[in-house]
PDB file of all heavy atoms in Angstrom:
ATOM      1  N   GLN A  17     -17.938  -8.077  -4.114  1.00 91.00           N
ATOM      2  CA  GLN A  17     -18.930  -8.750  -4.944  1.00 91.00           C
ATOM      3  C   GLN A  17     -18.987  -8.137  -6.350  1.00 91.00           C
ATOM      4  O   GLN A  17     -19.053  -8.851  -7.347  1.00 91.00           O
ATOM      5  CB  GLN A  17     -20.299  -8.645  -4.266  1.00 91.00           C
ATOM      6  CG  GLN A  17     -21.299  -9.618  -4.826  1.00 91.00           C
ATOM      7  CD  GLN A  17     -22.586  -9.603  -4.031  1.00 91.00           C
ATOM      8  OE1 GLN A  17     -23.163  -8.555  -3.779  1.00 91.00           O
ATOM      9  NE2 GLN A  17     -23.046 -10.770  -3.630  1.00 91.00           N
ATOM     10  N   TYR A  18     -18.937  -6.819  -6.428  1.00 93.00           N
ATOM     11  CA  TYR A  18     -19.054  -6.149  -7.719  1.00 93.00           C
ATOM     12  C   TYR A  18     -17.789  -6.298  -8.551  1.00 93.00           C
ATOM     13  O   TYR A  18     -17.837  -6.512  -9.750  1.00 93.00           O
ATOM     14  CB  TYR A  18     -19.366  -4.656  -7.538  1.00 93.00           C
ATOM     15  CG  TYR A  18     -20.701  -4.381  -6.892  1.00 93.00           C
ATOM     16  CD1 TYR A  18     -20.956  -3.168  -6.266  1.00 93.00           C
ATOM     17  CD2 TYR A  18     -21.721  -5.330  -6.900  1.00 93.00           C
ATOM     18  CE1 TYR A  18     -22.180  -2.900  -5.669  1.00 93.00           C
ATOM     19  CE2 TYR A  18     -22.943  -5.078  -6.301  1.00 93.00           C
ATOM     20  CZ  TYR A  18     -23.164  -3.859  -5.685  1.00 93.00           C
ATOM     21  OH  TYR A  18     -24.373  -3.605  -5.089  1.00 93.00           O
ATOM     22  N   ARG A  19     -16.633  -6.152  -7.900  1.00 88.00           N
ATOM     23  CA  ARG A  19     -15.376  -6.181  -8.660  1.00 88.00           C
ATOM     24  C   ARG A  19     -14.838  -7.584  -8.851  1.00 88.00           C
ATOM     25  O   ARG A  19     -13.922  -7.786  -9.624  1.00 88.00           O
ATOM     26  CB  ARG A  19     -14.314  -5.341  -7.949  1.00 88.00           C
ATOM     27  CG  ARG A  19     -14.537  -3.873  -8.095  1.00 88.00           C
ATOM     28  CD  ARG A  19     -13.236  -3.094  -8.070  1.00 88.00           C
ATOM     29  NE  ARG A  19     -13.552  -1.680  -8.243  1.00 88.00           N
ATOM     30  CZ  ARG A  19     -13.877  -0.876  -7.255  1.00 88.00           C
ATOM     31  NH1 ARG A  19     -13.878  -1.324  -6.016  1.00 88.00           N
ATOM     32  NH2 ARG A  19     -14.187   0.378  -7.492  1.00 88.00           N
ATOM     33  N   GLN A  20     -15.379  -8.547  -8.082  1.00 86.00           N
ATOM     34  CA  GLN A  20     -14.888  -9.930  -8.175  1.00 86.00           C
ATOM     35  C   GLN A  20     -13.367  -9.965  -7.971  1.00 86.00           C
ATOM     36  O   GLN A  20     -12.611 -10.538  -8.759  1.00 86.00           O
ATOM     37  CB  GLN A  20     -15.250 -10.533  -9.541  1.00 86.00           C
ATOM     38  CG  GLN A  20     -16.758 -10.553  -9.800  1.00 86.00           C
ATOM     39  CD  GLN A  20     -17.476 -11.632  -9.010  1.00 86.00           C
ATOM     40  OE1 GLN A  20     -17.406 -12.803  -9.329  1.00 86.00           O
ATOM     41  NE2 GLN A  20     -18.185 -11.235  -7.961  1.00 86.00           N
ATOM     42  N   ASN A  21     -12.928  -9.275  -6.894  1.00 79.00           N
ATOM     43  CA  ASN A  21     -11.507  -9.236  -6.494  1.00 79.00           C
ATOM     44  C   ASN A  21     -10.585  -8.441  -7.428  1.00 79.00           C
ATOM     45  O   ASN A  21      -9.370  -8.481  -7.274  1.00 79.00           O
ATOM     46  CB  ASN A  21     -10.946 -10.653  -6.269  1.00 79.00           C
ATOM     47  CG  ASN A  21     -11.704 -11.374  -5.164  1.00 79.00           C
ATOM     48  OD1 ASN A  21     -12.024 -10.770  -4.146  1.00 79.00           O
ATOM     49  ND2 ASN A  21     -12.003 -12.646  -5.366  1.00 79.00           N
ATOM     50  N   ARG A  22     -11.145  -7.745  -8.405  1.00 86.00           N
ATOM     51  CA  ARG A  22     -10.312  -6.816  -9.186  1.00 86.00           C
ATOM     52  C   ARG A  22      -9.980  -5.625  -8.295  1.00 86.00           C
ATOM     53  O   ARG A  22     -10.784  -5.221  -7.464  1.00 86.00           O
ATOM     54  CB  ARG A  22     -11.080  -6.293 -10.415  1.00 86.00           C
ATOM     55  CG  ARG A  22     -11.273  -7.287 -11.528  1.00 86.00           C
ATOM     56  CD  ARG A  22     -11.828  -6.593 -12.785  1.00 86.00           C
ATOM     57  NE  ARG A  22     -13.032  -5.825 -12.528  1.00 86.00           N
ATOM     58  CZ  ARG A  22     -14.258  -6.338 -12.526  1.00 86.00           C
ATOM     59  NH1 ARG A  22     -14.458  -7.629 -12.754  1.00 86.00           N
ATOM     60  NH2 ARG A  22     -15.307  -5.571 -12.308  1.00 86.00           N
ATOM     61  N   ASP A  23      -8.821  -5.021  -8.484  1.00 86.00           N
ATOM     62  CA  ASP A  23      -8.455  -3.846  -7.693  1.00 86.00           C
ATOM     63  C   ASP A  23      -9.296  -2.645  -8.106  1.00 86.00           C
ATOM     64  O   ASP A  23      -9.687  -2.529  -9.268  1.00 86.00           O
ATOM     65  CB  ASP A  23      -6.970  -3.501  -7.895  1.00 86.00           C
ATOM     66  CG  ASP A  23      -6.057  -4.514  -7.216  1.00 86.00           C
ATOM     67  OD1 ASP A  23      -6.535  -5.185  -6.272  1.00 86.00           O
ATOM     68  OD2 ASP A  23      -4.899  -4.644  -7.639  1.00 86.00           O
ATOM     69  N   ALA A  24      -9.509  -1.751  -7.147  1.00 86.00           N
ATOM     70  CA  ALA A  24     -10.176  -0.485  -7.470  1.00 86.00           C
ATOM     71  C   ALA A  24      -9.239   0.329  -8.364  1.00 86.00           C
ATOM     72  O   ALA A  24      -8.021   0.245  -8.223  1.00 86.00           O
ATOM     73  CB  ALA A  24     -10.482   0.280  -6.192  1.00 86.00           C
ATOM     74  N   PRO A  25      -9.794   1.104  -9.295  1.00 90.00           N
ATOM     75  CA  PRO A  25      -8.917   1.873 -10.190  1.00 90.00           C
ATOM     76  C   PRO A  25      -8.220   3.011  -9.450  1.00 90.00           C
ATOM     77  O   PRO A  25      -8.769   3.552  -8.485  1.00 90.00           O
ATOM     78  CB  PRO A  25      -9.889   2.422 -11.244  1.00 90.00           C
ATOM     79  CG  PRO A  25     -11.211   2.492 -10.548  1.00 90.00           C
ATOM     80  CD  PRO A  25     -11.217   1.359  -9.572  1.00 90.00           C
ATOM     81  N   ASP A  26      -7.040   3.374  -9.903  1.00 92.00           N
ATOM     82  CA  ASP A  26      -6.329   4.527  -9.365  1.00 92.00           C
ATOM     83  C   ASP A  26      -6.928   5.760 -10.048  1.00 92.00           C
ATOM     84  O   ASP A  26      -6.879   5.888 -11.272  1.00 92.00           O
ATOM     85  CB  ASP A  26      -4.835   4.400  -9.686  1.00 92.00           C
ATOM     86  CG  ASP A  26      -4.022   5.530  -9.055  1.00 92.00           C
ATOM     87  OD1 ASP A  26      -4.629   6.451  -8.469  1.00 92.00           O
ATOM     88  OD2 ASP A  26      -2.782   5.493  -9.161  1.00 92.00           O
ATOM     89  N   LEU A  27      -7.523   6.648  -9.261  1.00 94.00           N
ATOM     90  CA  LEU A  27      -8.246   7.782  -9.842  1.00 94.00           C
ATOM     91  C   LEU A  27      -7.427   9.069  -9.873  1.00 94.00           C
ATOM     92  O   LEU A  27      -7.899  10.092 -10.363  1.00 94.00           O
ATOM     93  CB  LEU A  27      -9.546   8.017  -9.059  1.00 94.00           C
ATOM     94  CG  LEU A  27     -10.540   6.845  -9.087  1.00 94.00           C
ATOM     95  CD1 LEU A  27     -11.716   7.132  -8.177  1.00 94.00           C
ATOM     96  CD2 LEU A  27     -11.022   6.549 -10.500  1.00 94.00           C
ATOM     97  N   ARG A  28      -6.203   9.026  -9.359  1.00 94.00           N
ATOM     98  CA  ARG A  28      -5.383  10.244  -9.323  1.00 94.00           C
ATOM     99  C   ARG A  28      -5.147  10.787 -10.731  1.00 94.00           C
ATOM    100  O   ARG A  28      -4.782  10.037 -11.639  1.00 94.00           O
ATOM    101  CB  ARG A  28      -4.026   9.953  -8.670  1.00 94.00           C
ATOM    102  CG  ARG A  28      -4.082   9.879  -7.152  1.00 94.00           C
ATOM    103  CD  ARG A  28      -2.770   9.419  -6.591  1.00 94.00           C
ATOM    104  NE  ARG A  28      -2.407   8.106  -7.128  1.00 94.00           N
ATOM    105  CZ  ARG A  28      -1.341   7.419  -6.708  1.00 94.00           C
ATOM    106  NH1 ARG A  28      -0.550   7.908  -5.795  1.00 94.00           N
ATOM    107  NH2 ARG A  28      -1.073   6.235  -7.230  1.00 94.00           N
ATOM    108  N   GLY A  29      -5.403  12.085 -10.870  1.00 96.00           N
ATOM    109  CA  GLY A  29      -5.142  12.733 -12.151  1.00 96.00           C
ATOM    110  C   GLY A  29      -6.131  12.407 -13.249  1.00 96.00           C
ATOM    111  O   GLY A  29      -5.889  12.712 -14.414  1.00 96.00           O
ATOM    112  N   ARG A  30      -7.259  11.801 -12.876  1.00 97.00           N
ATOM    113  CA  ARG A  30      -8.229  11.410 -13.911  1.00 97.00           C
ATOM    114  C   ARG A  30      -9.477  12.286 -13.877  1.00 97.00           C
ATOM    115  O   ARG A  30      -9.767  12.954 -12.880  1.00 97.00           O
ATOM    116  CB  ARG A  30      -8.629   9.941 -13.722  1.00 97.00           C
ATOM    117  CG  ARG A  30      -7.429   9.015 -13.842  1.00 97.00           C
ATOM    118  CD  ARG A  30      -7.815   7.562 -13.821  1.00 97.00           C
ATOM    119  NE  ARG A  30      -8.362   7.106 -15.097  1.00 97.00           N
ATOM    120  CZ  ARG A  30      -8.607   5.830 -15.380  1.00 97.00           C
ATOM    121  NH1 ARG A  30      -8.337   4.894 -14.491  1.00 97.00           N
ATOM    122  NH2 ARG A  30      -9.099   5.482 -16.549  1.00 97.00           N
ATOM    123  N   VAL A  31     -10.202  12.271 -14.970  1.00 98.00           N
ATOM    124  CA  VAL A  31     -11.509  12.934 -15.051  1.00 98.00           C
ATOM    125  C   VAL A  31     -12.544  11.883 -14.663  1.00 98.00           C
ATOM    126  O   VAL A  31     -12.677  10.864 -15.342  1.00 98.00           O
ATOM    127  CB  VAL A  31     -11.784  13.464 -16.471  1.00 98.00           C
ATOM    128  CG1 VAL A  31     -13.212  13.997 -16.576  1.00 98.00           C
ATOM    129  CG2 VAL A  31     -10.780  14.541 -16.845  1.00 98.00           C
ATOM    130  N   ALA A  32     -13.254  12.118 -13.567  1.00 98.00           N
ATOM    131  CA  ALA A  32     -14.255  11.160 -13.088  1.00 98.00           C
ATOM    132  C   ALA A  32     -15.644  11.617 -13.516  1.00 98.00           C
ATOM    133  O   ALA A  32     -16.100  12.698 -13.136  1.00 98.00           O
ATOM    134  CB  ALA A  32     -14.185  11.047 -11.566  1.00 98.00           C
ATOM    135  N   VAL A  33     -16.294  10.792 -14.342  1.00 98.00           N
ATOM    136  CA  VAL A  33     -17.678  11.064 -14.746  1.00 98.00           C
ATOM    137  C   VAL A  33     -18.555  10.212 -13.834  1.00 98.00           C
ATOM    138  O   VAL A  33     -18.657   8.996 -14.004  1.00 98.00           O
ATOM    139  CB  VAL A  33     -17.909  10.720 -16.239  1.00 98.00           C
ATOM    140  CG1 VAL A  33     -19.346  11.054 -16.640  1.00 98.00           C
ATOM    141  CG2 VAL A  33     -16.914  11.468 -17.129  1.00 98.00           C
ATOM    142  N   LEU A  34     -19.156  10.856 -12.847  1.00 98.00           N
ATOM    143  CA  LEU A  34     -19.902  10.168 -11.798  1.00 98.00           C
ATOM    144  C   LEU A  34     -21.381  10.109 -12.176  1.00 98.00           C
ATOM    145  O   LEU A  34     -22.022  11.148 -12.350  1.00 98.00           O
ATOM    146  CB  LEU A  34     -19.707  10.944 -10.491  1.00 98.00           C
ATOM    147  CG  LEU A  34     -20.131  10.328  -9.179  1.00 98.00           C
ATOM    148  CD1 LEU A  34     -19.400   9.027  -8.898  1.00 98.00           C
ATOM    149  CD2 LEU A  34     -19.876  11.321  -8.047  1.00 98.00           C
ATOM    150  N   VAL A  35     -21.903   8.893 -12.326  1.00 98.00           N
ATOM    151  CA  VAL A  35     -23.245   8.721 -12.902  1.00 98.00           C
ATOM    152  C   VAL A  35     -24.198   8.025 -11.931  1.00 98.00           C
ATOM    153  O   VAL A  35     -23.848   7.030 -11.302  1.00 98.00           O
ATOM    154  CB  VAL A  35     -23.158   7.886 -14.213  1.00 98.00           C
ATOM    155  CG1 VAL A  35     -24.544   7.580 -14.766  1.00 98.00           C
ATOM    156  CG2 VAL A  35     -22.320   8.623 -15.261  1.00 98.00           C
ATOM    157  N   ASP A  36     -25.418   8.566 -11.827  1.00 96.00           N
ATOM    158  CA  ASP A  36     -26.491   7.887 -11.097  1.00 96.00           C
ATOM    159  C   ASP A  36     -27.732   7.897 -11.989  1.00 96.00           C
ATOM    160  O   ASP A  36     -27.749   8.555 -13.032  1.00 96.00           O
ATOM    161  CB  ASP A  36     -26.767   8.581  -9.759  1.00 96.00           C
ATOM    162  CG  ASP A  36     -27.348   7.621  -8.722  1.00 96.00           C
ATOM    163  OD1 ASP A  36     -27.716   6.481  -9.087  1.00 96.00           O
ATOM    164  OD2 ASP A  36     -27.439   8.001  -7.535  1.00 96.00           O
ATOM    165  N   ASP A  37     -28.774   7.172 -11.573  1.00 97.00           N
ATOM    166  CA  ASP A  37     -29.981   7.119 -12.430  1.00 97.00           C
ATOM    167  C   ASP A  37     -30.869   8.342 -12.250  1.00 97.00           C
ATOM    168  O   ASP A  37     -31.863   8.519 -12.939  1.00 97.00           O
ATOM    169  CB  ASP A  37     -30.767   5.815 -12.218  1.00 97.00           C
ATOM    170  CG  ASP A  37     -31.120   5.549 -10.757  1.00 97.00           C
ATOM    171  OD1 ASP A  37     -30.952   6.461  -9.920  1.00 97.00           O
ATOM    172  OD2 ASP A  37     -31.552   4.413 -10.448  1.00 97.00           O
ATOM    173  N   GLY A  38     -30.504   9.213 -11.302  1.00 96.00           N
ATOM    174  CA  GLY A  38     -31.242  10.444 -11.073  1.00 96.00           C
ATOM    175  C   GLY A  38     -30.879  11.013  -9.719  1.00 96.00           C
ATOM    176  O   GLY A  38     -30.253  10.332  -8.904  1.00 96.00           O
ATOM    177  N   VAL A  39     -31.238  12.283  -9.483  1.00 92.00           N
ATOM    178  CA  VAL A  39     -31.032  12.863  -8.151  1.00 92.00           C
ATOM    179  C   VAL A  39     -32.322  13.496  -7.662  1.00 92.00           C
ATOM    180  O   VAL A  39     -32.981  14.221  -8.401  1.00 92.00           O
ATOM    181  CB  VAL A  39     -29.878  13.911  -8.110  1.00 92.00           C
ATOM    182  CG1 VAL A  39     -28.525  13.248  -8.226  1.00 92.00           C
ATOM    183  CG2 VAL A  39     -30.029  14.995  -9.154  1.00 92.00           C
ATOM    184  N   ALA A  40     -32.654  13.187  -6.414  1.00 88.00           N
ATOM    185  CA  ALA A  40     -33.803  13.825  -5.757  1.00 88.00           C
ATOM    186  C   ALA A  40     -33.243  14.816  -4.733  1.00 88.00           C
ATOM    187  O   ALA A  40     -33.182  16.013  -4.970  1.00 88.00           O
ATOM    188  CB  ALA A  40     -34.695  12.777  -5.112  1.00 88.00           C
ATOM    189  N   THR A  41     -32.746  14.305  -3.586  1.00 82.00           N
ATOM    190  CA  THR A  41     -32.119  15.199  -2.592  1.00 82.00           C
ATOM    191  C   THR A  41     -30.637  15.395  -2.899  1.00 82.00           C
ATOM    192  O   THR A  41     -30.034  16.363  -2.486  1.00 82.00           O
ATOM    193  CB  THR A  41     -32.229  14.620  -1.172  1.00 82.00           C
ATOM    194  OG1 THR A  41     -31.469  13.405  -1.110  1.00 82.00           O
ATOM    195  CG2 THR A  41     -33.672  14.325  -0.806  1.00 82.00           C
ATOM    196  N   GLY A  42     -30.046  14.434  -3.612  1.00 85.00           N
ATOM    197  CA  GLY A  42     -28.633  14.549  -3.984  1.00 85.00           C
ATOM    198  C   GLY A  42     -27.657  14.105  -2.908  1.00 85.00           C
ATOM    199  O   GLY A  42     -26.445  14.271  -3.062  1.00 85.00           O
ATOM    200  N   ALA A  43     -28.149  13.506  -1.810  1.00 80.00           N
ATOM    201  CA  ALA A  43     -27.273  13.153  -0.683  1.00 80.00           C
ATOM    202  C   ALA A  43     -26.175  12.163  -1.080  1.00 80.00           C
ATOM    203  O   ALA A  43     -25.005  12.334  -0.729  1.00 80.00           O
ATOM    204  CB  ALA A  43     -28.104  12.586   0.471  1.00 80.00           C
ATOM    205  N   THR A  44     -26.540  11.120  -1.830  1.00 84.00           N
ATOM    206  CA  THR A  44     -25.549  10.110  -2.219  1.00 84.00           C
ATOM    207  C   THR A  44     -24.519  10.713  -3.164  1.00 84.00           C
ATOM    208  O   THR A  44     -23.317  10.469  -3.031  1.00 84.00           O
ATOM    209  CB  THR A  44     -26.254   8.925  -2.924  1.00 84.00           C
ATOM    210  OG1 THR A  44     -27.349   8.517  -2.121  1.00 84.00           O
ATOM    211  CG2 THR A  44     -25.320   7.749  -3.102  1.00 84.00           C
ATOM    212  N   MET A  45     -24.992  11.498  -4.115  1.00 90.00           N
ATOM    213  CA  MET A  45     -24.082  12.140  -5.075  1.00 90.00           C
ATOM    214  C   MET A  45     -23.112  13.064  -4.344  1.00 90.00           C
ATOM    215  O   MET A  45     -21.914  13.075  -4.624  1.00 90.00           O
ATOM    216  CB  MET A  45     -24.896  12.918  -6.119  1.00 90.00           C
ATOM    217  CG  MET A  45     -24.085  13.526  -7.240  1.00 90.00           C
ATOM    218  SD  MET A  45     -23.253  12.302  -8.294  1.00 90.00           S
ATOM    219  CE  MET A  45     -24.509  11.955  -9.528  1.00 90.00           C
ATOM    220  N   ARG A  46     -23.626  13.826  -3.359  1.00 88.00           N
ATOM    221  CA  ARG A  46     -22.752  14.739  -2.598  1.00 88.00           C
ATOM    222  C   ARG A  46     -21.661  13.981  -1.866  1.00 88.00           C
ATOM    223  O   ARG A  46     -20.503  14.398  -1.829  1.00 88.00           O
ATOM    224  CB  ARG A  46     -23.577  15.516  -1.566  1.00 88.00           C
ATOM    225  CG  ARG A  46     -24.193  16.735  -2.119  1.00 88.00           C
ATOM    226  CD  ARG A  46     -24.729  17.671  -1.045  1.00 88.00           C
ATOM    227  NE  ARG A  46     -25.485  18.694  -1.725  1.00 88.00           N
ATOM    228  CZ  ARG A  46     -26.780  18.575  -2.022  1.00 88.00           C
ATOM    229  NH1 ARG A  46     -27.453  17.510  -1.674  1.00 88.00           N
ATOM    230  NH2 ARG A  46     -27.397  19.535  -2.682  1.00 88.00           N
ATOM    231  N   ALA A  47     -22.042  12.858  -1.249  1.00 85.00           N
ATOM    232  CA  ALA A  47     -21.059  12.046  -0.517  1.00 85.00           C
ATOM    233  C   ALA A  47     -19.993  11.525  -1.475  1.00 85.00           C
ATOM    234  O   ALA A  47     -18.795  11.548  -1.172  1.00 85.00           O
ATOM    235  CB  ALA A  47     -21.757  10.887   0.187  1.00 85.00           C
ATOM    236  N   ALA A  48     -20.429  11.076  -2.645  1.00 91.00           N
ATOM    237  CA  ALA A  48     -19.486  10.551  -3.631  1.00 91.00           C
ATOM    238  C   ALA A  48     -18.544  11.648  -4.116  1.00 91.00           C
ATOM    239  O   ALA A  48     -17.336  11.424  -4.261  1.00 91.00           O
ATOM    240  CB  ALA A  48     -20.249   9.952  -4.811  1.00 91.00           C
ATOM    241  N   VAL A  49     -19.082  12.838  -4.336  1.00 93.00           N
ATOM    242  CA  VAL A  49     -18.265  13.967  -4.795  1.00 93.00           C
ATOM    243  C   VAL A  49     -17.215  14.325  -3.743  1.00 93.00           C
ATOM    244  O   VAL A  49     -16.031  14.498  -4.056  1.00 93.00           O
ATOM    245  CB  VAL A  49     -19.162  15.195  -5.119  1.00 93.00           C
ATOM    246  CG1 VAL A  49     -18.338  16.461  -5.295  1.00 93.00           C
ATOM    247  CG2 VAL A  49     -19.989  14.929  -6.376  1.00 93.00           C
ATOM    248  N   ALA A  50     -17.655  14.403  -2.482  1.00 88.00           N
ATOM    249  CA  ALA A  50     -16.718  14.742  -1.402  1.00 88.00           C
ATOM    250  C   ALA A  50     -15.619  13.686  -1.303  1.00 88.00           C
ATOM    251  O   ALA A  50     -14.443  14.007  -1.080  1.00 88.00           O
ATOM    252  CB  ALA A  50     -17.473  14.860  -0.080  1.00 88.00           C
ATOM    253  N   ALA A  51     -15.992  12.426  -1.487  1.00 87.00           N
ATOM    254  CA  ALA A  51     -15.016  11.336  -1.425  1.00 87.00           C
ATOM    255  C   ALA A  51     -14.047  11.403  -2.599  1.00 87.00           C
ATOM    256  O   ALA A  51     -12.840  11.211  -2.442  1.00 87.00           O
ATOM    257  CB  ALA A  51     -15.739   9.994  -1.404  1.00 87.00           C
ATOM    258  N   LEU A  52     -14.567  11.711  -3.785  1.00 91.00           N
ATOM    259  CA  LEU A  52     -13.700  11.804  -4.971  1.00 91.00           C
ATOM    260  C   LEU A  52     -12.695  12.948  -4.838  1.00 91.00           C
ATOM    261  O   LEU A  52     -11.560  12.840  -5.299  1.00 91.00           O
ATOM    262  CB  LEU A  52     -14.537  12.015  -6.233  1.00 91.00           C
ATOM    263  CG  LEU A  52     -15.124  10.761  -6.880  1.00 91.00           C
ATOM    264  CD1 LEU A  52     -16.018  11.145  -8.043  1.00 91.00           C
ATOM    265  CD2 LEU A  52     -14.038   9.815  -7.359  1.00 91.00           C
ATOM    266  N   ARG A  53     -13.126  14.040  -4.199  1.00 90.00           N
ATOM    267  CA  ARG A  53     -12.224  15.184  -3.997  1.00 90.00           C
ATOM    268  C   ARG A  53     -10.961  14.745  -3.256  1.00 90.00           C
ATOM    269  O   ARG A  53      -9.889  15.282  -3.456  1.00 90.00           O
ATOM    270  CB  ARG A  53     -12.915  16.280  -3.191  1.00 90.00           C
ATOM    271  CG  ARG A  53     -13.970  17.029  -3.960  1.00 90.00           C
ATOM    272  CD  ARG A  53     -13.453  18.310  -4.587  1.00 90.00           C
ATOM    273  NE  ARG A  53     -14.496  18.940  -5.381  1.00 90.00           N
ATOM    274  CZ  ARG A  53     -14.468  19.114  -6.692  1.00 90.00           C
ATOM    275  NH1 ARG A  53     -13.442  18.687  -7.385  1.00 90.00           N
ATOM    276  NH2 ARG A  53     -15.443  19.713  -7.332  1.00 90.00           N
ATOM    277  N   LYS A  54     -11.122  13.765  -2.355  1.00 87.00           N
ATOM    278  CA  LYS A  54      -9.983  13.304  -1.558  1.00 87.00           C
ATOM    279  C   LYS A  54      -9.098  12.329  -2.322  1.00 87.00           C
ATOM    280  O   LYS A  54      -8.092  11.873  -1.811  1.00 87.00           O
ATOM    281  CB  LYS A  54     -10.491  12.642  -0.274  1.00 87.00           C
ATOM    282  CG  LYS A  54     -11.220  13.613   0.650  1.00 87.00           C
ATOM    283  CD  LYS A  54     -11.547  12.976   1.983  1.00 87.00           C
ATOM    284  CE  LYS A  54     -12.140  14.011   2.933  1.00 87.00           C
ATOM    285  NZ  LYS A  54     -12.287  13.490   4.296  1.00 87.00           N
ATOM    286  N   GLN A  55      -9.501  11.979  -3.537  1.00 88.00           N
ATOM    287  CA  GLN A  55      -8.726  11.007  -4.312  1.00 88.00           C
ATOM    288  C   GLN A  55      -7.899  11.669  -5.422  1.00 88.00           C
ATOM    289  O   GLN A  55      -7.438  11.011  -6.342  1.00 88.00           O
ATOM    290  CB  GLN A  55      -9.658   9.946  -4.907  1.00 88.00           C
ATOM    291  CG  GLN A  55     -10.375   9.171  -3.820  1.00 88.00           C
ATOM    292  CD  GLN A  55     -10.584   7.713  -4.177  1.00 88.00           C
ATOM    293  OE1 GLN A  55      -9.962   7.192  -5.088  1.00 88.00           O
ATOM    294  NE2 GLN A  55     -11.446   7.045  -3.460  1.00 88.00           N
TER     295      GLN A  55
END
């Protein structure tokens, strides 16, 4: 729905600036960070 069938970007070798509107417990941000580490 968000990408409208565009491919996800290839993140290998890139600097990822991961943005949210704020962090309280940080659970979502942590999950995203762990996932990015694998990319």
Side-chain angles (χ1 to χ4, degrees):
Q17 196 173 51
Y18 296 159
R19 285 210 179 86
Q20 301 285 285
N21 299 319
R22 287 190 307 275
D23 288 337
D26 184 355
L27 298 174
R28 282 173 302 186
R30 299 187 78 171
V31 173
V33 182
L34 192 60
V35 175
D36 207 350
D37 54 11
V39 288
T41 65
T44 311
M45 185 64 88
R46 274 194 189 88
V49 167
L52 276 175
R53 287 265 176 245
K54 295 188 174 188
Q55 298 215 16

